[in-house]
Amino acid sequence: MARVSQEHLDARRRQILDGAASCFARNGFHATSMQDVLKETDLSAGAVYRYFRGKDELITAIVTEVLDTVRGILEQAAQESPPPTPDVLVPQALTRMREQRPATLDGGEWMFPRLMIQVWTETTRSPELAAVLREGYDNVRRAWGRVAEGYQDAGLMPADADTDAVARAMIALVQGFATQMALFGGISERTLGEGMRALTAMGSARADT
């Protein structure tokens, strides 16, 4: 029997995760059954259960993968001298996430913000998922902290600024923006960048008067 290539295995795993993410974003975690995932992916139960034993493993894998992707984007930015400013970096990161996970819901809206809200809701019921989210959040927070340190090294931020506070504020901003996208739609990454530029320009505008 011919051996299945790693490329094929990775593609099948990607198919399952993308299908499950779409189901969770559309209907919520508890309203989604494994049968729904099978229908979404057009795969047999055996094919899916070869990779994941159930919904808990699916959502844990989705959360871990997304947070690892975000952390990677920030760590790459932190290596630049100086790192892109937040009004550039945050829209860039969201655009890259959209490119990597482009799935949309039935109305055409990007499914990722809706998925985020479903995950947050589930963490209130699942200590195991909450622990996974906490670890991933801490990793993203530390990556944001390294970006902030890059701003300090470049003279873009006061040397005594609390980089962890900066990291938490940036995460809160992205979470709030994603919530607006999920609830109201019609908001682009460009809008977020323009708003951030206007806010950060207040200090310099006051100094010029």
Side-chain angles (χ1 to χ4, degrees):
M1 178 180 295
R3 295 181 61 184
V4 178
S5 69
Q6 187 61 47
E7 181 179 1
H8 174 82
L9 295 174
D10 292 343
R12 180 57 54 84
R13 187 176 189 275
R14 171 85 276 128
Q15 179 183 358
I16 296 168
L17 287 176
D18 287 347
S22 293
C23 287
F24 296 151
R26 186 186 306 118
N27 302 318
F29 183 73
H30 286 279
T32 297
S33 67
M34 285 301 291
Q35 191 61 40
D36 293 327
V37 175
L38 299 181
K39 182 178 180 181
E40 184 78 20
T41 58
D42 195 26
L43 294 172
S44 68
V48 172
Y49 284 111
R50 176 180 182 179
Y51 296 85
F52 303 100
R53 289 179 292 183
K55 291 194 298 181
D56 288 338
E57 285 193 2
L58 279 166
I59 198 167
T60 296
I62 291 167
V63 169
T64 300
E65 183 179 67
V66 167
L67 291 172
D68 284 348
T69 299
V70 174
R71 175 181 53 80
I73 292 171
L74 295 175
E75 289 180 344
Q76 182 179 4
Q79 294 174 7
E80 299 183 37
S81 183
T85 52
D87 62 298
V88 174
L89 176 55
V90 173
Q92 280 182 350
L94 288 170
T95 297
R96 285 184 58 183
M97 290 298 298
R98 189 190 290 269
E99 290 170 351
Q100 294 180 22
R101 302 289 179 268
T104 58
L105 299 172
D106 295 339
E109 67 270 28
W110 186 29
M111 70 93 177
F112 182 71
R114 282 272 297 272
L115 178 63
M116 286 180 60
I117 292 180
Q118 297 296 343
V119 169
W120 295 340
T121 301
E122 184 57 23
T123 59
T124 65
R125 304 185 182 99
S126 170
E128 294 80 10
L129 181 59
V132 170
L133 189 64
R134 165 70 65 177
E135 180 181 359
Y137 169 84
D138 288 343
N139 289 335
V140 169
R141 180 170 54 83
R142 283 189 286 269
W144 257 120
R146 288 189 284 274
V147 171
E149 291 169 1
Y151 296 151
Q152 290 177 320
D153 292 341
L156 299 175
M157 182 177 290
D160 61 351
D162 185 339
T163 56
D164 185 62
V166 172
R168 292 177 184 273
M170 295 309 305
I171 292 172
L173 187 147
V174 174
Q175 289 174 325
F177 182 72
T179 301
Q180 289 188 59
M181 293 179 71
L183 296 178
F184 310 119
I187 308 171
S188 70
E189 292 85 348
R190 179 179 177 182
T191 300
L192 177 60
E194 290 175 350
M196 294 174 69
R197 274 192 296 278
L199 286 171
T200 55
M202 287 194 301
S204 59
R206 184 170 56 185
D208 291 338
T209 59

